[in-house]
Amino acid sequence: MPPIPGSGLAKGLAVTLRTMMRKSVTAQYPEVQPDLPPRTRGVIGLFEENCTVCMLCARECPDWCIYIDSHKETIPAAAPGGRERSRNVLDRFAIDFSLCMYCGICIEVCPFDALFWSPEFEYAETDIRELTHERDKLREWMWTVPAPPALDPAAEEPKEIAAARKTAEKQAASRAQEATTPGTAPETRPGPDRGETGPDRPTGPDRPTGPGSAGPATPPPGEGGTE
């Protein structure tokens, strides 16, 4: 059936009339802050303690807007005769937000969870050169990162948590079995002040003798013994 002439125009005018009759609401920004979605890509926060200076974020950034400087420090050997180790120490971590296109690749490739999305968006500057923010500013934005959403109750348990839980259950079961099995209870060792002997106090011929010992002393030749 061919469309009725003018039906499209009538639908468009109906939408216009509904919009004209609707009350408009103006957000009074900045007095009223907007309600941002939880996964808003506002700015990138840095959790410096997790950064190992692996340079993955800087290498994978398509805009090359991440600048990282570091140096190596030598860690002395933990034990005598051990080998000294070296580690990377972060000196500078900066992001040029005038070049950043907010793709999130740096956050995805970070293997140690050192970068996070923050909903903070009020960091405009009058000079483009001031949009390169150093690690101190990135650290401040880290505290505005929202908490991760809760897991779905029907979701599968993570493999790491499942493995740790099974290990703990096996250890608890083995302890309970040892406690209920006769003859496997740990032996109590009384102190020396009670005059009793324990496993570390030998008795009989192997027990040491002397002036302060309670065992019989070896008689001297000619007194009660044979020469």
Side-chain angles (χ1 to χ4, degrees), residues 107-121:
I107 298 177
E108 294 177 3
V109 300
C110 180
F112 301 104
D113 293 334
L115 299 174
F116 297 87
W117 278 119
S118 167
E120 182 67 33
F121 63 93

Side-chain angles (χ1 to χ4, degrees), residues 35 104 153 159 227:
D35 295 331
K159 296 181 180 179
E227 296 183 1

Side-chain angles (χ1 to χ4, degrees), residues 148-158:
L151 297 177
D152 190 348
E156 183 180 358
E157 187 179 23

Side-chain angles (χ1 to χ4, degrees), residues 86-117:
S86 62
R87 67 172 181 175
N88 293 323
V89 179
L90 184 66
D91 292 331
R92 184 194 182 198
F93 195 107
I95 300 179
D96 188 355
F97 286 98
S98 64
L99 298 177
C100 179
M101 64 179 185
Y102 303 90
C103 62
I105 293 178
C106 57
I107 298 177
E108 294 177 3
V109 300
C110 180
F112 301 104
D113 293 334
L115 299 174
F116 297 87
W117 278 119

Side-chain angles (χ1 to χ4, degrees), residues 113-134:
D113 293 334
L115 299 174
F116 297 87
W117 278 119
S118 167
E120 182 67 33
F121 63 93
E122 297 177 322
Y123 55 93
E125 300 290 346
T126 57
D127 192 348
I128 193 173
R129 292 172 295 183
E130 297 179 0
L131 284 174
T132 301
H133 296 288
E134 301 293 334

